[in-house]
Amino acid sequence: MNSLEQLKEIIVNYVEVEPEQIRPDSRFMEDLGFTSFDFMSMLGEIEEVFDVEVDQQEAAKIRSVQEAVDYLDRLTA
């Protein structure tokens, strides 16, 4: 399973959206309805699932699903 598919499975735990509605260009706040708290909680789960440490300043720059996937790919490379 690639990073995008794994991320979709995590996203649906936090917001009312179907996995097939999540596109790479979906923005967390504007399109998917994340709050700041949802986003921070999701980052914690991402750290556990992917066994990575997310830099909070880097994470603050992430707006879209694709940006999150690219960031995860760099962390897990």
Side-chain angles (χ1 to χ4, degrees):
M1 183 183 303
N2 65 31
S3 300
L4 177 59
E5 293 306 314
Q6 285 181 288
L7 190 57
K8 284 182 181 184
E9 287 189 3
I10 294 172
I11 289 170
V12 298
N13 294 330
Y14 293 91
V15 289
E16 292 290 324
V17 64
E18 296 299 320
E20 56 272 8
Q21 294 174 296
I22 302 168
R23 299 184 324 273
D25 64 344
S26 296
R27 296 167 299 173
F28 287 101
M29 307 288 182
E30 298 89 339
D31 300 326
L32 301 177
F34 270 76
T35 64
S36 297
F37 180 77
D38 292 332
F39 190 73
M40 297 312 287
S41 299
M42 181 188 70
L43 290 178
E45 184 172 344
I46 286 172
E47 288 183 323
E48 288 181 27
V49 170
F50 289 90
D51 193 27
V52 294
E53 188 171 329
V54 173
D55 180 280
Q56 297 301 322
Q57 290 185 330
E58 288 293 313
K61 300 174 191 171
I62 294 172
R63 297 283 177 256
S64 72
V65 172
Q66 187 60 53
E67 288 173 9
V69 168
D70 292 344
Y71 180 65
L72 283 170
D73 287 346
R74 285 196 305 276
L75 287 179
T76 57

